[in-house]
Amino acid sequence: MNKWVIAIIVVVCIAAVAGAVLVTQQPAQTLTLRIGYQPSWHHVAEFIMVEKGWIQKVLGVQVKEYESQTGPAEMEAFAAGVLDIAYVGATPPLPIIAKGAKAKIVAVVNTEGSSLVVRTDFNYTGPQSLIDARIGCYPPGSIQDTILKRWLIDKDIDLDKVEIIAQEPRAQLESLKAGAVDAILTPDPMPYIAVLEGYGKIAINSSQMWPHHPCCVVLMSEDFIKEHRDLAVKFIALHIIASEYATNPKNREEVKQILINRLGIEEKVADKFPGSTNYNITDPRNPAWLEGLDYMCQVHYQLGITKNSEGQVIRLNVSDVVDPSLYEEALSLVPQIKAELGLS
């Protein structure tokens, strides 16, 4: 019996070693980075990074993109674990973080960049002229919804006296064109589509409604940061580089073509880029930007939007939603990655 036992042990050991050899000989599975975005040129940095293959080259990963029409819809996917990274407005993450979602804002994408567009036959004379009007807006919790409601309240207009209709961007344009709404608050490039097609006029930009307001951000899963911090830092470095690339005049024609391809817009619309969108801040440590985000947290609290898992309205602080530590690490990698990409 002892001989049989020894023989069995020897066979098992040989099999284990052979299995280990087979495993080591198999190629390592490439990580797939799941990125969410919306059909707006606010997210041009993401378009550039993917279209030029920078993410794949620098991070050594595959990319799978998910398009959402609005921020709240995108955050449903994020909360469900579908996304690792999202290009999204600064406010849509607030409700899911309030409920316990593990996510952090790690970089700024843009500020401002939306407009209130009215029908060409609508007599807009100021915010008071919107009383009893029907306004198509992104859903509650979105950047546009937050800006619109805060602006109306600041102008002493009762929200009950304005009909705000939650709509996706294309539905906004169709409704304005059909005369089903009097106005829409929508991000670039939608205002220019309405204007150039002749059924809308820009009444006021969001920069006038709320100067220097935060808009889109890079949101990351805390699990992704924890498990792949090196990749997270490199991604932010690429975001910084792509943001600079988008606004460099020498790249304008290339960037326009990317926008035409990614957004399905006409060249005359792409010619308006960057419109009212500002890409001058990517640093989530910027004091003015942090002050604006903190005010957005306050507005969401006042509107009763941020609720914890028990349904209680809570007031988030910027420290609850922002992780600035990766950005500083990313800055140190920018020169090296630019050289790797052949950029001066």
Side-chain angles (χ1 to χ4, degrees):
M1 289 294 294
N2 288 340
K3 291 181 179 179
W4 281 108
V5 171
I6 293 170
I8 290 170
I9 291 173
V10 170
V11 170
V12 170
C13 290
I14 292 172
V17 171
V21 170
L22 286 173
V23 169
T24 56
Q25 287 178 342
Q26 293 176 348
Q29 185 175 5
T30 302
L31 175 71
T32 297
L33 189 60
R34 304 167 301 168
I35 308 174
Y37 72 93
Q38 294 169 48
S40 163
W41 68 42
H42 290 184
H43 300 170
V44 65
E46 194 271 348
F47 302 160
I48 291 170
M49 291 157 63
V50 173
E51 293 298 315
K52 295 183 72 64
W54 290 353
I55 298 174
Q56 299 90 323
K57 180 176 181 179
V58 174
L59 274 64
V61 300
Q62 298 297 318
V63 175
K64 186 171 184 179
E65 294 180 283
Y66 294 82
E67 180 180 285
S68 297
Q69 295 301 303
T70 66
E74 189 175 2
M75 289 300 92
E76 289 180 12
F78 197 99
V82 174
L83 303 175
D84 302 305
I85 299 173
Y87 276 67
V88 66
T91 53
L94 302 183
I96 69 166
I97 291 174
K99 285 185 171 64
K102 300 300 182 182
K104 286 290 189 290
I105 293 171
V106 295
V108 179
V109 173
N110 71 290
T111 59
E112 305 175 329
S114 296
S115 299
L116 182 71
V117 184
V118 299
R119 296 195 327 266
T120 52
D121 61 346
F122 185 84
N123 185 28
Y124 177 82
T125 57
Q128 293 294 325
S129 62
L130 296 174
I131 293 176
D132 297 326
R134 304 182 80 228
I135 304 176
C137 191
Y138 276 32
S142 65
I143 281 288
Q144 289 73 25
D145 177 77
T146 304
I147 292 168
L148 178 61
K149 289 176 178 175
R150 177 262 188 189
W151 180 65
L152 292 172
I153 291 170
D154 281 359
K155 299 301 181 181
D156 297 320
I157 297 174
D158 190 334
L159 295 183
D160 291 334
K161 294 184 178 180
V162 180
E163 186 177 358
I164 301 174
I165 304 166
Q167 293 184 313
E168 295 180 348
R170 290 296 171 182
Q172 285 184 307
L173 295 177
E174 291 168 4
S175 296
L176 189 69
K177 187 175 184 178
V181 296
D182 302 301
I184 57 175
L185 185 60
T186 192
D188 292 341
M190 270 61 77
Y192 308 110
I193 295 174
V195 170
L196 292 170
E197 292 186 359
Y199 55 83
K201 57 183 180 181
I202 296 174
I204 187 171
N205 292 326
S206 64
S207 59
Q208 299 166 283
M209 301 166 77
W210 184 337
H212 314 296
H213 69 80
C215 188
C216 293
V217 298
V218 178
L219 185 76
M220 277 190 184
S221 157
E222 289 186 16
D223 286 342
F224 177 75
I225 295 172
K226 181 179 179 181
E227 296 169 12
H228 305 285
R229 188 178 181 90
D230 59 330
L231 298 182
V233 171
K234 287 181 180 179
F235 185 92
I236 296 169
L238 280 176
H239 169 70
I240 296 168
I241 294 168
S243 298
E244 294 175 356
Y245 194 92
T247 55
N248 188 328
K250 72 178 184 180
N251 303 322
R252 181 170 177 78
E253 291 306 312
E254 180 189 4
V255 171
K256 277 175 49 182
Q257 193 58 53
I258 288 174
L259 292 174
I260 290 169
N261 294 339
R262 292 298 297 255
L263 300 177
I265 57 178
E266 296 183 33
E267 185 172 1
K268 64 182 180 180
V269 177
D271 282 336
K272 296 292 185 180
F273 178 79
S276 64
T277 306
N278 289 320
Y279 302 97
N280 56 338
I281 298 173
T282 55
D283 193 339
R285 303 168 300 175
N286 181 282
W289 181 84
L290 286 170
E291 183 179 348
L293 180 62
D294 186 65
Y295 188 32
M296 285 185 163
C297 290
Q298 176 66 19
V299 172
H300 267 222
Y301 172 69
Q302 291 172 336
L303 293 173
I305 295 175
T306 43
K307 299 178 181 179
N308 62 19
S309 58
E310 298 175 352
Q312 298 171 321
V313 178
I314 61 172
R315 206 281 196 194
L316 293 174
N317 298 307
V318 292
S319 58
D320 299 318
V321 297
V322 179
D323 179 357
S325 65
L326 289 85
Y327 190 89
E328 186 169 354
E329 294 179 46
L331 278 178
S332 65
L333 294 181
V334 168
Q336 171 190 330
I337 293 177
K338 277 186 174 180
E340 184 178 344
L341 296 173
L343 302 172
S344 55

